């Protein structure tokens, strides 16, 4: 049975799901509201189940060829002195540490999945889903260009602000868990002061500034701020120049390399600012419409599991469709039943941890650095990682013979 599938969102999850579906013989169209492939963004990583899915896809070597050569993450004080350092676990065994063995720029991972699917998937850029209606025969989609189309499945892979999700949730439900956290990132020129160790520095007022280097000519700068006032929620919607003014005003006295990062912000062609939230939807599907990745269950960047949960979710959804192509309600229900325990586990992020990790006072920063310095000196995180199970939260990927067959075939072809 060949299904006609429309995926709204051409980031990571959309093409990853398309990868599985076309190799199961289904017809897939991906619509993306940006006018071209959005191969940009911050540094992300694969961990645990995400690495396993990439191996099943047969794309792990393509991903490995694009990884950022990051040896670890260090914390420095306002004067630049290293107070703690956590090295990446590159042994190929056990769990990942703060830096993953598979650190990669978002745009590079998007390109890997796009390149793996572009010959068999129809990509349409500069277009998105405006609204839809569905019945037992199909789902009729109305696009932003005024055209319509009828499909067997509509997939919402349109991120944490998903419009597809809004259309299927009960009226009045707000699935966003506001965490009182905001983040911005942009590119800066690499200098001789940069290295393979990413560095972060805390400043009083719940502030963190950070830099990471991904190429000899370009690095990344990050500002993060803890502020739980409701007035802050409108900040990411301001014009970009106003957003930059806001971040500069908050960090101009932060110390360390704040001025260098601010100077880079003012000249960078790339800048992105957002509220950090979790998405906790009461349901991930309705009829022929189903949500994946951040649209369904964004865990937030603070967990380090966004990309991994996205890949695990697309794998499970495709696997359940492979088992029940003629009963989509059952396939979608099984997808949610199987994946939700994993999502709920990785979304466990108590608010007190955020207060500890982004202290309000200089005393709090000193305590944090003392504790992390002791852990770093004793190499506790490296030892725990080396002898821990790879599966995050103890959740193991289900086995789907049809998908495994595809992965093995693709893996052999790429070796």
């Amino acid at each position: 049975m060949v299904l006609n599938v429309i995926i709204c969102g051409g980031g990571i999850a959309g093409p990853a799901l398309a990868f599985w579906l076309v190799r199961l013989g289904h017809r897939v169209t991906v619509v993306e509201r940006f006018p071209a492939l959005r191969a940009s963004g911050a540094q992300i990583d694969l961990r645990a189940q995400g690495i396993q899915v990439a191996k099943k896809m047969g794309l792990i070597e393509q991903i490995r060829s694009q990884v950022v050569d990051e040896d670890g993450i260090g914390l420095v004080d306002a004067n630049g002195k290293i107070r703690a350092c956590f090295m990446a676990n590159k042994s190929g065994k056990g769990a990942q540490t703060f830096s993953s063995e598979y650190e990669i720029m978002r745009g590079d991972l998007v390109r890997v999945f796009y390149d793996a699917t572009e010959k068999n998937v129809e990509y349409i850029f500069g277009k998105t889903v405006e609204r839809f209606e569905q019945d037992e025969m199909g789902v009729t989609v109305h696009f932003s260009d005024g055209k319509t189309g009828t499909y067997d499945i509509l997939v919402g892979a349109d991120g944490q602000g998903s419009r597809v999700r809004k259309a299927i949730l009960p009226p009045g439900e707000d699935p966003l868990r506001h965490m009182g956290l905001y983040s911005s990132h942009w590119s800066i020129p690499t200098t001789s002061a940069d290295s393979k160790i990413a560095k972060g520095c805390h400043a009083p007022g719940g502030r963190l500034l950070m830099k990471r280097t991904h190429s000899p000519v370009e690095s990344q700068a990050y500002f993060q701020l803890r502020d739980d006032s409701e007035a802050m929620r409108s900040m990411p919607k301001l014009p970009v120049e106003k957003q930059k003014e806001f971040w500069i005003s908050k960090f101009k006295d932060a110390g360390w390399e704040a001025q260098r990062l601010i100077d880079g912000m003012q000249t960078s062609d790339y800048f992105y600012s957002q509220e950090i939230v979790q998405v906790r939807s009461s349901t991930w599907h309705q009829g022929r419409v189903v949500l994946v990745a951040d649209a369904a269950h964004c865990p937030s960047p603070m967990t380090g599991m966004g990309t991994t949960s996205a890949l695990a979710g697309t794998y499970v959804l495709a696997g359940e469709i492979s088992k029940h192509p003629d009963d989509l309600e059952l396939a979608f229900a099984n997808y949610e039943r199987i994946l939700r325990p994993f999502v709920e586990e990785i979304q466990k992020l108590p608010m007190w941890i955020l207060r500890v990790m982004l202290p309000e006072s200089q005393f709090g920063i000193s305590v944090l650095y003392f504790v992390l310095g002791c852990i770093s000196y004793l190499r506790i995180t490296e030892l725990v990682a080396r002898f821990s199970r790879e599966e995050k939260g103890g959740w193991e990927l289900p086995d789907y013979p049809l998908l495994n067959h595809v992965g093995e075939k693709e893996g052999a072809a790429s070796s």
Side-chain angles (χ1 to χ4, degrees):
M1 181 179 183
V2 177
L3 297 171
N4 189 18
V5 183
I6 180 79
I7 299 175
C8 181
I12 291 173
L17 178 62
F19 174 95
W20 294 117
L21 293 181
V22 296
R23 280 156 180 74
L24 289 171
H26 302 304
R27 186 165 55 251
V28 181
T29 301
V30 175
V31 291
E32 167 56 48
R33 65 187 178 93
F34 279 81
L37 187 70
R38 194 155 62 98
S40 60
Q43 186 172 319
I44 58 178
D45 59 39
L46 296 183
R47 296 171 180 271
Q49 295 89 348
I51 299 171
Q52 295 171 25
V53 172
K55 290 178 179 178
K56 288 178 179 292
M57 297 174 88
L59 296 176
I60 195 65
E61 291 306 319
Q62 290 91 322
I63 293 171
R64 193 191 300 275
S65 71
Q66 298 294 324
V67 298
V68 174
D69 189 12
E70 184 173 276
D71 289 339
I73 294 180
L75 289 175
V76 302
D77 60 24
N79 297 315
K81 181 180 179 181
I82 291 276
R83 301 297 300 274
C85 191
F86 303 95
M87 304 305 291
N89 177 15
K90 298 185 178 182
S91 68
K93 299 178 181 179
Q96 304 297 317
T97 59
F98 294 110
S99 282
S100 169
E101 182 180 0
Y102 292 94
E103 296 285 336
I104 186 171
M105 298 304 293
R106 178 194 175 277
D108 291 335
L109 187 59
V110 168
R111 177 67 65 179
V112 167
F113 292 142
Y114 176 77
D115 289 347
T117 56
E118 63 170 328
K119 293 181 181 179
N120 299 307
V121 173
E122 182 183 8
Y123 282 90
I124 304 175
F125 296 100
K127 181 173 176 175
T128 191
V129 174
E130 289 288 338
R131 56 189 177 88
F132 58 87
E133 304 98 26
Q134 59 175 318
D135 55 31
E136 65 277 5
M137 300 302 293
V139 53
T140 300
V141 177
H142 300 263
F143 296 103
S144 54
D145 62 358
K147 295 180 180 179
T148 62
T150 300
Y151 303 87
D152 296 305
I153 299 174
L154 165 61
V155 180
D158 48 342
Q160 68 181 39
S162 171
R163 297 177 68 177
V164 176
R165 181 186 67 230
K166 184 177 180 180
I168 70 170
L169 289 185
E173 178 178 333
D174 181 5
L176 302 184
R177 181 196 182 197
H178 299 279
M179 307 170 71
L181 289 177
Y182 297 83
S183 177
S184 61
H185 60 268
W186 60 98
S187 58
I188 58 174
T190 298
T191 72
S192 58
D194 301 321
S195 70
K196 294 181 181 181
I197 301 290
K199 291 186 175 70
C201 177
H202 289 77
R207 296 177 293 173
L208 173 68
L209 47 163
M210 186 175 180
K211 65 175 184 178
R212 310 178 88 164
T213 298
H214 61 275
S215 84
V217 298
E218 189 174 67
S219 296
Q220 311 146 61
Y222 298 81
F223 284 166
Q224 195 169 98
L225 175 68
R226 182 166 61 84
D227 185 336
D228 58 7
S229 65
E230 289 195 17
M232 273 291 296
R233 295 180 188 173
S234 61
M235 184 275 295
K237 300 176 184 178
L238 295 173
V240 170
E241 288 307 314
K242 291 293 184 182
Q243 293 180 43
K244 289 184 177 182
E245 288 176 10
F246 167 83
W247 286 106
I248 291 171
S249 70
K250 290 291 185 180
F251 280 81
K252 61 185 179 182
D253 64 345
W256 188 45
E257 296 190 25
Q259 191 57 53
R260 175 200 169 192
L261 304 188
I262 287 172
D263 290 343
M265 178 194 295
Q266 294 174 319
T267 58
S268 176
D269 293 331
Y270 174 79
F271 175 84
Y272 186 76
S273 179
Q274 66 174 339
E275 179 186 4
I276 295 176
V277 300
Q278 289 186 332
V279 174
R280 298 186 173 190
S281 302
S282 61
T283 183
W284 299 346
H285 62 95
Q286 182 195 76
R288 293 176 173 271
V289 182
V290 62
L291 306 172
V292 295
D294 283 357
H297 51 73
C298 173
S300 96
M302 301 299 290
T303 67
M305 291 295 289
T307 307
T308 287
S309 62
L311 294 188
T314 57
Y315 170 79
V316 172
L317 176 57
E320 291 303 317
I321 291 174
S322 76
K323 292 171 64 176
H324 308 287
D326 55 350
D327 191 343
L328 296 177
E329 276 286 350
L330 178 59
F332 296 166
N334 284 349
Y335 152 67
E336 183 168 343
R337 175 182 57 81
I338 293 168
L339 190 67
R340 190 175 279 276
F342 171 58
V343 168
E344 290 178 347
E345 180 65 27
I346 64 175
Q347 284 189 331
K348 290 179 179 177
L349 189 62
M351 297 302 290
W352 67 264
I353 289 182
L354 303 181
R355 291 191 292 272
V356 169
M357 297 308 294
L358 289 168
E360 189 67 27
S361 67
Q362 184 60 53
F363 175 75
I365 294 172
S366 298
V367 172
L368 175 66
Y369 281 9
F370 174 76
V371 173
L372 293 179
C374 291
I375 293 173
S376 169
Y377 178 76
L378 296 172
R379 302 182 66 182
I380 292 173
T381 55
E382 296 168 51
L383 292 172
V384 170
R386 186 69 62 91
F387 296 104
S388 295
R389 292 185 61 186
E390 186 178 359
E391 294 85 359
K392 179 73 172 180
W395 184 83
E396 297 185 6
L397 286 173
D399 182 37
Y400 297 109
L402 288 176
L403 300 190
N404 287 345
H405 175 68
V406 168
E408 291 164 5
K409 180 172 64 178
E410 293 292 324
S414 66
S415 62

